Amino acid sequence: MGNFRFHQYQVVGRALPTATDEHPKIYRMKLWATNEVRAKSKFWYFLRKLKKVKKSNGQVLAINEIFERKPTKIKNYGIWLRYQSRTGYHNMYKEYRDTTLNGSVEQMYNEMASRHRVRCHCIQIIKTATIPSKLCKRESTKQFHDSKIKFPLVFKKVRPPTRKLKTTYKASRPNLFK
Amino acid sequence: MLVVCPRSDGEECKIKALIDYKTLAHLIYPSVALSRPRRTSPSLAVKMPFKRYVEIGRVALVNYGKEYGRLVVIVDVIDQNRALVDAPDMVRGQMNFKRLSLTDIKIDIPRVPKKKTLIDAMEAADVKNKWEKSSWGRKLIVQKRRASLNDFDRFKVMLAKIKRGGAIRQELAKLKKENAA
């Protein structure tokens, strides 16, 4: 499973109670960040855009990391995002097949960087969901919805089993077939 | 259009080119299309050159990383590069195909089986014995044995090799003598 760059956090916060408002409304947000500090910062960023509250007149009540419930089950994840390109803001819907939500979010960030040259700070995740196989939209995820899937590995890359055994020159040409 | 491939697997290259030729023959040579009745799908008369497929139940050997040398079973395919992989003494996890070497052994399991079903299927297909009897498996066992020899064992191996060489040379001398006479 391994370490993910992006972790999912649940941040709960509210405005500070004042004389006029003894019990302000409590808001909860689920977001992705590399660490807890960044998660709290992101929380205030989004909350500022939605409600009239800032970090200076608010408080974070709880921050918890959310872990994957079933990391050995393969799921289809749909991610709705809003990103900034060189010309403006766009919305996007992307699908990924992965075992964990953190893994698919990481895939998404990598793919956006490679396909659209969008860096991670220009991406806002609107919503994520596990999609049942029937409702998947993208062909590239639907092609793996086959209970009798079978394909050959066409190109076998010859790799030394440890990086220590790597050499620049080899005595014979490698056999790339099978 | 046979493509001459300078690679060692020239046969496979030629077969692939032949497949292309057969499917495009009706485009290249119109007479061929008219003389032979057109089939709806160009059925490949040539067999696929691939024998080991990534499929549910395929046994593979891990050839890189922390799990190096372990035999695992592919229980599901995540996407083009990764598979969900399981073994009797390991937590089910994902693995990149680049870390797997497919073997000839395949067992019969449903998609993502329970651990108990997997172990039973592996017993039924006798994966362990088949692997240890196969030439690949035997080579790995010998390699492991050789790596774990201590100095005294290596001394014994040296003596055994000398003895074997001596016996071979004696027989050779006998045969030479018979030939000369």
Side-chain angles (χ1 to χ4, degrees):
Chain A
M1 247 222 321
N3 359 323
F4 301 109
R5 205 167 125 229
F6 292 95
H7 301 266
Q8 190 183 15
Y9 293 97
Q10 167 193 263
V11 188
V12 182
R14 65 168 190 176
L16 288 168
T18 61
T20 48
D21 191 1
E22 290 287 307
H23 300 285
K25 248 208 179 123
I26 306 180
Y27 297 100
R28 177 186 88 123
M29 235 193 131
K30 285 204 271 189
L31 37 85
W32 268 270
T34 44
N35 52 35
E36 283 191 5
V37 174
R38 281 213 166 135
K40 284 191 271 186
S41 168
K42 274 249 180 87
F43 172 73
W44 289 120
Y45 168 77
F46 285 119
L47 204 57
R48 259 199 336 252
K49 294 190 177 298
L50 300 168
K51 301 286 163 198
K52 197 91 192 289
V53 63
K54 291 155 78 158
K55 183 170 171 211
S56 53
N57 53 11
Q59 58 185 180
V60 162
L61 299 171
I63 171 163
N64 312 97
E65 186 167 355
I66 300 177
F67 297 101
E68 184 67 34
R69 188 166 260 186
K70 286 223 178 122
T72 54
K73 182 165 177 282
I74 299 175
K75 301 171 270 285
N76 312 297
Y77 292 102
I79 302 182
W80 286 259
L81 52 132
R82 173 178 186 252
Y83 74 98
Q84 183 182 21
S85 72
R86 292 179 193 145
T87 37
Y89 283 89
H90 311 270
N91 293 334
M92 223 184 223
Y93 166 70
K94 285 192 158 293
E95 271 179 17
Y96 297 99
R97 239 173 102 78
D98 204 324
T99 50
T100 62
L101 187 48
N102 288 351
S104 66
V105 161
E106 195 162 339
Q107 262 187 294
M108 182 274 292
Y109 277 112
N110 287 334
E111 193 178 344
M112 289 303 288
S114 62
R115 290 225 150 100
H116 306 282
R117 305 298 195 242
V118 178
R119 278 87 198 173
C120 56
H121 52 261
C122 294
I123 293 176
Q124 297 173 1
I125 299 177
I126 302 169
K127 175 176 146 186
T128 61
T130 14
I131 317 270
S133 315
K134 274 190 279 290
L135 304 175
C136 281
K137 280 172 50 174
R138 306 287 186 242
E139 274 308 315
S140 54
T141 47
K142 289 200 327 205
Q143 71 181 342
F144 291 101
H145 294 154
D146 180 4
S147 65
K148 294 192 182 33
I149 193 163
K150 176 174 161 171
F151 55 87
L153 291 177
V154 176
F155 175 71
K156 176 188 90 161
K157 181 171 172 186
V158 196
R159 242 193 337 181
T162 56
R163 294 202 56 202
K164 225 175 187 182
L165 300 169
K166 187 174 82 148
T167 59
T168 328
Y169 299 102
K170 298 277 178 204
S172 49
R173 300 191 84 174
N175 178 16
L176 304 164
F177 181 72
K178 274 273 168 261
Chain B
M1 51 180 177
L2 279 181
V3 176
V4 176
C5 288
R7 300 191 329 210
S8 58
D9 49 347
E11 277 309 307
E12 280 72 35
C13 246
K14 284 187 201 155
I15 290 170
K16 273 193 206 139
L18 201 54
I19 293 170
D20 295 335
Y21 169 76
K22 286 199 177 200
T23 55
L24 298 172
H26 64 282
L27 293 171
I28 300 169
Y29 300 115
S31 57
V32 171
L34 293 172
S35 59
R36 248 189 306 167
R38 276 280 298 279
R39 299 192 193 93
T40 43
S41 66
S43 58
L44 305 170
V46 185
K47 285 201 318 283
M48 290 283 274
F50 301 108
K51 298 225 177 52
R52 299 173 186 164
Y53 292 84
V54 166
E55 50 197 332
I56 294 167
R58 174 68 55 180
V59 174
L61 185 72
V62 180
N63 60 21
Y64 191 90
K66 204 163 74 88
E67 307 282 332
Y68 177 66
R70 195 197 275 269
L71 270 186
V72 293
V73 178
I74 295 176
V75 296
D76 204 354
V77 170
I78 300 176
D79 63 18
Q80 200 190 355
N81 301 320
R82 291 173 297 165
L84 199 58
V85 129
D86 206 355
D89 55 342
M90 157 181 136
V91 180
R92 198 192 304 155
Q94 67 177 10
M95 213 169 241
N96 197 316
F97 288 129
K98 291 187 180 179
R99 293 198 174 190
L100 296 175
S101 302
L102 305 178
T103 64
D104 288 324
I105 309 173
K106 179 183 177 312
I107 65 177
D108 199 11
I109 46 169
R111 207 172 66 94
V112 193
K114 288 201 183 7
K115 215 36 172 258
K116 200 164 141 347
T117 329
L118 177 72
I119 294 177
D120 290 338
M122 285 184 87
E123 294 288 314
D126 208 13
V127 168
K128 198 162 182 294
N129 281 339
K130 267 204 219 152
W131 175 246
E132 281 167 9
K133 279 203 216 85
S134 72
S135 49
W136 188 357
R138 277 188 310 209
K139 267 191 278 187
L140 287 185
I141 292 173
V142 167
Q143 276 177 12
K144 216 184 271 188
R145 181 88 182 87
R146 285 201 182 141
S148 68
L149 293 175
N150 63 25
D151 189 56
F152 186 45
D153 289 329
R154 273 174 283 163
F155 177 73
K156 286 191 273 187
V157 167
M158 177 187 75
L159 293 183
K161 276 193 185 163
I162 292 172
K163 201 169 184 182
R164 181 183 71 172
I168 291 175
R169 235 171 273 131
Q170 270 187 334
E171 286 301 314
L172 187 63
K174 261 193 235 157
L175 287 171
K176 272 197 192 155
K177 227 187 192 175
E178 284 170 21
N179 231 8

